[in-house]
Amino acid sequence: MYDITLKINARLQPIDRGDEYEDPIGEALESRGLGEVTGGGTMLESTGEVKYCEVDLSLEDGSEQTMEALLQILDEIGVPKGSVLQWEGHKQPVGRLEGMGFYANGTELPLEVYQNCDINVVIREMESLMEGVGRFYSYWEGPEDTALYFYGTSFEEMRGRIEKFVEEYPLCHKSRIVRIA
């Protein structure tokens, strides 16, 4: 067996890491007889926010054909820019998706905004506005804000499509948008 780690430049809760990467990669590897997923992990910032994720793979071999098939699987599934395959002292950059973090302010808005607005409305509306360009992958609830993580083909286009909604929906006021991949 040939062990490889996929370091994913994505901010995902462990269950989302499984749904988005471990399960689809494992199914694709097994269906092609190339190997399996053997584990995964999540690296946190000192704040508790996810920094990146890892998926451990065990391939049948390290042949050029197997590696090309793995790269094709990763391209089909879609991983964020800045991700890396690591094995035996080698590093192979992978990823084409761009990431957008939306940080909803959780402490500075009027109390009635928090009582009358819903973060799930924000997620649904943003995902609808980004259709065909990006989608929601995961979230993080911090002490001062709630982060929503979106990945897609273009950070600028994702941000542009939600601008009007962010200006209009009260729960989005005093928010910040950050490029995360």
Side-chain angles (χ1 to χ4, degrees), residues 98-120:
E98 296 187 2
M100 183 185 83
F102 175 83
Y103 291 80
N105 188 305
T107 60
E108 299 176 354
L109 300 177
L111 183 58
E112 59 269 12
V113 170
Y114 298 117
Q115 292 171 336
N116 298 324
C117 294
D118 185 347
I119 196 72
N120 293 304

PDB file of all heavy atoms in Angstrom, residues 98-120:
ATOM      1  N   GLU A  98     -12.127  28.395  -5.468  1.00  0.00           N
ATOM      2  CA  GLU A  98     -11.822  29.554  -4.643  1.00  0.00           C
ATOM      3  C   GLU A  98     -12.788  29.544  -3.460  1.00  0.00           C
ATOM      4  O   GLU A  98     -13.894  29.021  -3.563  1.00  0.00           O
ATOM      5  CB  GLU A  98     -11.937  30.833  -5.460  1.00  0.00           C
ATOM      6  CG  GLU A  98     -10.903  30.863  -6.570  1.00  0.00           C
ATOM      7  CD  GLU A  98     -10.841  32.168  -7.336  1.00  0.00           C
ATOM      8  OE1 GLU A  98     -11.585  33.124  -7.012  1.00  0.00           O
ATOM      9  OE2 GLU A  98     -10.017  32.239  -8.270  1.00  0.00           O
ATOM     10  N   GLY A  99     -12.339  30.097  -2.346  1.00  0.00           N
ATOM     11  CA  GLY A  99     -13.145  30.075  -1.135  1.00  0.00           C
ATOM     12  C   GLY A  99     -13.500  31.464  -0.646  1.00  0.00           C
ATOM     13  O   GLY A  99     -12.710  32.400  -0.762  1.00  0.00           O
ATOM     14  N   MET A 100     -14.702  31.569  -0.085  1.00  0.00           N
ATOM     15  CA  MET A 100     -15.181  32.821   0.481  1.00  0.00           C
ATOM     16  C   MET A 100     -15.715  32.555   1.880  1.00  0.00           C
ATOM     17  O   MET A 100     -16.573  31.700   2.067  1.00  0.00           O
ATOM     18  CB  MET A 100     -16.295  33.415  -0.393  1.00  0.00           C
ATOM     19  CG  MET A 100     -16.794  34.765   0.113  1.00  0.00           C
ATOM     20  SD  MET A 100     -18.192  35.383  -0.841  1.00  0.00           S
ATOM     21  CE  MET A 100     -19.515  34.500  -0.028  1.00  0.00           C
ATOM     22  N   GLY A 101     -15.190  33.278   2.849  1.00  0.00           N
ATOM     23  CA  GLY A 101     -15.711  33.222   4.204  1.00  0.00           C
ATOM     24  C   GLY A 101     -16.578  34.439   4.446  1.00  0.00           C
ATOM     25  O   GLY A 101     -16.153  35.576   4.219  1.00  0.00           O
ATOM     26  N   PHE A 102     -17.804  34.204   4.875  1.00  0.00           N
ATOM     27  CA  PHE A 102     -18.714  35.289   5.243  1.00  0.00           C
ATOM     28  C   PHE A 102     -18.848  35.264   6.755  1.00  0.00           C
ATOM     29  O   PHE A 102     -19.268  34.257   7.323  1.00  0.00           O
ATOM     30  CB  PHE A 102     -20.089  35.105   4.579  1.00  0.00           C
ATOM     31  CG  PHE A 102     -21.086  36.133   5.028  1.00  0.00           C
ATOM     32  CD1 PHE A 102     -21.107  37.382   4.436  1.00  0.00           C
ATOM     33  CD2 PHE A 102     -21.972  35.863   6.061  1.00  0.00           C
ATOM     34  CE1 PHE A 102     -22.010  38.353   4.868  1.00  0.00           C
ATOM     35  CE2 PHE A 102     -22.867  36.820   6.492  1.00  0.00           C
ATOM     36  CZ  PHE A 102     -22.890  38.071   5.894  1.00  0.00           C
ATOM     37  N   TYR A 103     -18.468  36.349   7.414  1.00  0.00           N
ATOM     38  CA  TYR A 103     -18.481  36.426   8.873  1.00  0.00           C
ATOM     39  C   TYR A 103     -19.597  37.365   9.318  1.00  0.00           C
ATOM     40  O   TYR A 103     -19.489  38.587   9.187  1.00  0.00           O
ATOM     41  CB  TYR A 103     -17.127  36.908   9.392  1.00  0.00           C
ATOM     42  CG  TYR A 103     -16.031  35.900   9.183  1.00  0.00           C
ATOM     43  CD1 TYR A 103     -15.401  35.766   7.948  1.00  0.00           C
ATOM     44  CD2 TYR A 103     -15.657  35.051  10.212  1.00  0.00           C
ATOM     45  CE1 TYR A 103     -14.411  34.821   7.747  1.00  0.00           C
ATOM     46  CE2 TYR A 103     -14.660  34.103  10.026  1.00  0.00           C
ATOM     47  CZ  TYR A 103     -14.044  33.993   8.792  1.00  0.00           C
ATOM     48  OH  TYR A 103     -13.062  33.045   8.597  1.00  0.00           O
ATOM     49  N   ALA A 104     -20.678  36.768   9.825  1.00  0.00           N
ATOM     50  CA  ALA A 104     -21.824  37.536  10.322  1.00  0.00           C
ATOM     51  C   ALA A 104     -21.508  38.011  11.735  1.00  0.00           C
ATOM     52  O   ALA A 104     -21.131  37.216  12.596  1.00  0.00           O
ATOM     53  CB  ALA A 104     -23.086  36.677  10.322  1.00  0.00           C
ATOM     54  N   ASN A 105     -21.675  39.295  11.958  1.00  0.00           N
ATOM     55  CA  ASN A 105     -21.390  39.885  13.262  1.00  0.00           C
ATOM     56  C   ASN A 105     -22.386  39.364  14.288  1.00  0.00           C
ATOM     57  O   ASN A 105     -23.598  39.481  14.107  1.00  0.00           O
ATOM     58  CB  ASN A 105     -21.463  41.412  13.154  1.00  0.00           C
ATOM     59  CG  ASN A 105     -20.987  42.109  14.398  1.00  0.00           C
ATOM     60  OD1 ASN A 105     -21.478  41.848  15.489  1.00  0.00           O
ATOM     61  ND2 ASN A 105     -20.026  42.995  14.232  1.00  0.00           N
ATOM     62  N   GLY A 106     -21.888  38.825  15.377  1.00  0.00           N
ATOM     63  CA  GLY A 106     -22.763  38.236  16.388  1.00  0.00           C
ATOM     64  C   GLY A 106     -22.880  39.036  17.662  1.00  0.00           C
ATOM     65  O   GLY A 106     -23.497  38.569  18.628  1.00  0.00           O
ATOM     66  N   THR A 107     -22.313  40.248  17.706  1.00  0.00           N
ATOM     67  CA  THR A 107     -22.320  41.005  18.966  1.00  0.00           C
ATOM     68  C   THR A 107     -22.701  42.475  18.843  1.00  0.00           C
ATOM     69  O   THR A 107     -23.055  43.091  19.835  1.00  0.00           O
ATOM     70  CB  THR A 107     -20.927  40.947  19.637  1.00  0.00           C
ATOM     71  OG1 THR A 107     -19.956  41.521  18.757  1.00  0.00           O
ATOM     72  CG2 THR A 107     -20.539  39.526  19.984  1.00  0.00           C
ATOM     73  N   GLU A 108     -22.640  43.061  17.655  1.00  0.00           N
ATOM     74  CA  GLU A 108     -22.782  44.511  17.537  1.00  0.00           C
ATOM     75  C   GLU A 108     -24.082  44.992  16.896  1.00  0.00           C
ATOM     76  O   GLU A 108     -24.266  46.194  16.715  1.00  0.00           O
ATOM     77  CB  GLU A 108     -21.601  45.077  16.741  1.00  0.00           C
ATOM     78  CG  GLU A 108     -20.265  44.827  17.412  1.00  0.00           C
ATOM     79  CD  GLU A 108     -19.097  45.314  16.569  1.00  0.00           C
ATOM     80  OE1 GLU A 108     -19.314  45.741  15.411  1.00  0.00           O
ATOM     81  OE2 GLU A 108     -17.969  45.259  17.068  1.00  0.00           O
ATOM     82  N   LEU A 109     -24.983  44.084  16.560  1.00  0.00           N
ATOM     83  CA  LEU A 109     -26.241  44.487  15.938  1.00  0.00           C
ATOM     84  C   LEU A 109     -27.319  44.643  17.012  1.00  0.00           C
ATOM     85  O   LEU A 109     -27.210  44.077  18.100  1.00  0.00           O
ATOM     86  CB  LEU A 109     -26.668  43.440  14.897  1.00  0.00           C
ATOM     87  CG  LEU A 109     -25.685  43.193  13.750  1.00  0.00           C
ATOM     88  CD1 LEU A 109     -26.199  42.093  12.835  1.00  0.00           C
ATOM     89  CD2 LEU A 109     -25.403  44.460  12.970  1.00  0.00           C
ATOM     90  N   PRO A 110     -28.373  45.389  16.708  1.00  0.00           N
ATOM     91  CA  PRO A 110     -29.468  45.517  17.676  1.00  0.00           C
ATOM     92  C   PRO A 110     -30.067  44.148  18.024  1.00  0.00           C
ATOM     93  O   PRO A 110     -30.154  43.263  17.161  1.00  0.00           O
ATOM     94  CB  PRO A 110     -30.495  46.386  16.938  1.00  0.00           C
ATOM     95  CG  PRO A 110     -29.705  47.125  15.897  1.00  0.00           C
ATOM     96  CD  PRO A 110     -28.597  46.194  15.501  1.00  0.00           C
ATOM     97  N   LEU A 111     -30.478  43.967  19.259  1.00  0.00           N
ATOM     98  CA  LEU A 111     -31.012  42.698  19.746  1.00  0.00           C
ATOM     99  C   LEU A 111     -32.159  42.193  18.876  1.00  0.00           C
ATOM    100  O   LEU A 111     -32.252  40.999  18.592  1.00  0.00           O
ATOM    101  CB  LEU A 111     -31.466  42.845  21.200  1.00  0.00           C
ATOM    102  CG  LEU A 111     -31.992  41.583  21.879  1.00  0.00           C
ATOM    103  CD1 LEU A 111     -30.933  40.480  21.867  1.00  0.00           C
ATOM    104  CD2 LEU A 111     -32.419  41.891  23.305  1.00  0.00           C
ATOM    105  N   GLU A 112     -33.019  43.102  18.402  1.00  0.00           N
ATOM    106  CA  GLU A 112     -34.162  42.677  17.586  1.00  0.00           C
ATOM    107  C   GLU A 112     -33.720  42.045  16.266  1.00  0.00           C
ATOM    108  O   GLU A 112     -34.436  41.210  15.709  1.00  0.00           O
ATOM    109  CB  GLU A 112     -35.161  43.818  17.348  1.00  0.00           C
ATOM    110  CG  GLU A 112     -34.604  45.039  16.644  1.00  0.00           C
ATOM    111  CD  GLU A 112     -34.058  46.106  17.592  1.00  0.00           C
ATOM    112  OE1 GLU A 112     -33.895  45.850  18.799  1.00  0.00           O
ATOM    113  OE2 GLU A 112     -33.776  47.210  17.094  1.00  0.00           O
ATOM    114  N   VAL A 113     -32.555  42.407  15.765  1.00  0.00           N
ATOM    115  CA  VAL A 113     -32.044  41.775  14.540  1.00  0.00           C
ATOM    116  C   VAL A 113     -31.772  40.302  14.810  1.00  0.00           C
ATOM    117  O   VAL A 113     -32.176  39.429  14.040  1.00  0.00           O
ATOM    118  CB  VAL A 113     -30.775  42.491  14.023  1.00  0.00           C
ATOM    119  CG1 VAL A 113     -30.117  41.690  12.891  1.00  0.00           C
ATOM    120  CG2 VAL A 113     -31.115  43.888  13.548  1.00  0.00           C
ATOM    121  N   TYR A 114     -31.105  40.009  15.928  1.00  0.00           N
ATOM    122  CA  TYR A 114     -30.809  38.614  16.260  1.00  0.00           C
ATOM    123  C   TYR A 114     -32.090  37.831  16.571  1.00  0.00           C
ATOM    124  O   TYR A 114     -32.179  36.645  16.279  1.00  0.00           O
ATOM    125  CB  TYR A 114     -29.840  38.537  17.448  1.00  0.00           C
ATOM    126  CG  TYR A 114     -28.507  39.182  17.156  1.00  0.00           C
ATOM    127  CD1 TYR A 114     -28.082  40.288  17.867  1.00  0.00           C
ATOM    128  CD2 TYR A 114     -27.673  38.686  16.150  1.00  0.00           C
ATOM    129  CE1 TYR A 114     -26.857  40.885  17.603  1.00  0.00           C
ATOM    130  CE2 TYR A 114     -26.453  39.283  15.882  1.00  0.00           C
ATOM    131  CZ  TYR A 114     -26.050  40.378  16.605  1.00  0.00           C
ATOM    132  OH  TYR A 114     -24.841  40.969  16.335  1.00  0.00           O
ATOM    133  N   GLN A 115     -33.087  38.511  17.119  1.00  0.00           N
ATOM    134  CA  GLN A 115     -34.350  37.850  17.455  1.00  0.00           C
ATOM    135  C   GLN A 115     -35.204  37.585  16.215  1.00  0.00           C
ATOM    136  O   GLN A 115     -35.931  36.595  16.166  1.00  0.00           O
ATOM    137  CB  GLN A 115     -35.147  38.706  18.455  1.00  0.00           C
ATOM    138  CG  GLN A 115     -34.497  38.779  19.814  1.00  0.00           C
ATOM    139  CD  GLN A 115     -35.189  39.802  20.734  1.00  0.00           C
ATOM    140  OE1 GLN A 115     -35.836  40.735  20.281  1.00  0.00           O
ATOM    141  NE2 GLN A 115     -35.027  39.608  22.039  1.00  0.00           N
ATOM    142  N   ASN A 116     -35.128  38.459  15.218  1.00  0.00           N
ATOM    143  CA  ASN A 116     -36.038  38.385  14.072  1.00  0.00           C
ATOM    144  C   ASN A 116     -35.413  37.848  12.783  1.00  0.00           C
ATOM    145  O   ASN A 116     -36.132  37.628  11.810  1.00  0.00           O
ATOM    146  CB  ASN A 116     -36.638  39.772  13.790  1.00  0.00           C
ATOM    147  CG  ASN A 116     -37.463  40.273  14.955  1.00  0.00           C
ATOM    148  OD1 ASN A 116     -38.142  39.501  15.622  1.00  0.00           O
ATOM    149  ND2 ASN A 116     -37.377  41.567  15.227  1.00  0.00           N
ATOM    150  N   CYS A 117     -34.121  37.669  12.763  1.00  0.00           N
ATOM    151  CA  CYS A 117     -33.451  37.175  11.561  1.00  0.00           C
ATOM    152  C   CYS A 117     -32.887  35.786  11.826  1.00  0.00           C
ATOM    153  O   CYS A 117     -32.699  35.392  12.971  1.00  0.00           O
ATOM    154  CB  CYS A 117     -32.331  38.127  11.143  1.00  0.00           C
ATOM    155  SG  CYS A 117     -32.929  39.748  10.600  1.00  0.00           S
ATOM    156  N   ASP A 118     -32.590  35.071  10.755  1.00  0.00           N
ATOM    157  CA  ASP A 118     -32.164  33.678  10.873  1.00  0.00           C
ATOM    158  C   ASP A 118     -30.955  33.435   9.967  1.00  0.00           C
ATOM    159  O   ASP A 118     -31.009  33.718   8.768  1.00  0.00           O
ATOM    160  CB  ASP A 118     -33.332  32.778  10.464  1.00  0.00           C
ATOM    161  CG  ASP A 118     -33.069  31.303  10.655  1.00  0.00           C
ATOM    162  OD1 ASP A 118     -31.910  30.897  10.885  1.00  0.00           O
ATOM    163  OD2 ASP A 118     -34.041  30.530  10.551  1.00  0.00           O
ATOM    164  N   ILE A 119     -29.883  32.891  10.529  1.00  0.00           N
ATOM    165  CA  ILE A 119     -28.681  32.594   9.750  1.00  0.00           C
ATOM    166  C   ILE A 119     -28.970  31.576   8.650  1.00  0.00           C
ATOM    167  O   ILE A 119     -28.334  31.591   7.596  1.00  0.00           O
ATOM    168  CB  ILE A 119     -27.517  32.140  10.665  1.00  0.00           C
ATOM    169  CG1 ILE A 119     -26.164  32.215   9.933  1.00  0.00           C
ATOM    170  CG2 ILE A 119     -27.759  30.734  11.195  1.00  0.00           C
ATOM    171  CD1 ILE A 119     -25.658  33.593   9.701  1.00  0.00           C
ATOM    172  N   ASN A 120     -29.970  30.721   8.856  1.00  0.00           N
ATOM    173  CA  ASN A 120     -30.338  29.752   7.814  1.00  0.00           C
ATOM    174  C   ASN A 120     -30.924  30.439   6.588  1.00  0.00           C
ATOM    175  O   ASN A 120     -30.761  29.957   5.469  1.00  0.00           O
ATOM    176  CB  ASN A 120     -31.298  28.703   8.379  1.00  0.00           C
ATOM    177  CG  ASN A 120     -30.599  27.833   9.402  1.00  0.00           C
ATOM    178  OD1 ASN A 120     -29.578  27.219   9.115  1.00  0.00           O
ATOM    179  ND2 ASN A 120     -31.126  27.802  10.610  1.00  0.00           N
TER     180      ASN A 120
END
